[in-house]
Amino acid sequence: MSELSIKIRIAEREYPMRVKEEEEERLRIVGKLLNERLKFFKDQFGIQDKQDLLAMVAFETMVEKLKLEDEKNKHLSKVGQQLNVLDDLLSSAK
């Protein structure tokens, strides 16, 4: 697991970082997605201030993260319930 020195450009600023080789592609994709969302907010709402743009992207990202966590928890709960049903069925078959 070697480390690479890369630069990710976000909002017209470069951020140097050292990353594991297997993480490089993911980080580059994240940088690209961030810049796409920044452009979307700039074009869609006419926001020019980079701090405001970054705040909007951060807010949108956290909303999406919370939504995904809720969905994951619902799925885990459903799986737990189904496992309990299976356990009860197996216990009654003994």
Side-chain angles (χ1 to χ4, degrees):
M1 287 190 264
S2 61
E3 284 197 345
L4 301 173
S5 291
I6 65 171
K7 291 181 183 175
I8 302 291
R9 190 168 187 83
I10 301 169
E12 299 175 17
R13 290 181 77 175
E14 283 194 349
Y15 296 90
M17 52 186 76
R18 294 193 57 78
V19 300
K20 294 177 183 172
E21 196 171 339
E22 62 271 11
E23 296 274 322
E24 178 190 12
E25 183 179 357
R26 181 180 321 199
L27 293 175
R28 291 196 185 279
I29 289 170
V30 168
K32 181 180 178 200
L33 291 172
L34 282 172
N35 286 316
E36 288 173 1
R37 295 311 295 161
L38 290 166
K39 184 178 180 336
F40 169 80
F41 282 110
K42 183 178 183 181
D43 294 345
Q44 193 73 21
F45 302 107
I47 301 170
Q48 297 299 317
D49 183 75
K50 292 209 184 349
Q51 186 172 344
D52 289 341
L53 288 168
L54 290 166
M56 291 300 296
V57 172
F59 182 80
E60 176 187 56
T61 302
M62 289 306 297
V63 167
E64 200 55 37
K65 179 184 184 301
L66 289 175
K67 187 182 348 176
L68 288 171
E69 284 177 358
D70 285 346
E71 289 174 14
K72 179 183 120 183
N73 289 336
K74 285 177 187 173
H75 288 299
L76 288 174
S77 177
K78 193 176 220 177
V79 167
Q81 290 171 356
Q82 290 171 338
L83 287 173
N84 287 336
V85 168
L86 286 173
D87 189 45
D88 290 344
L89 287 171
L90 289 171
S91 293
S92 67
K94 290 181 182 178

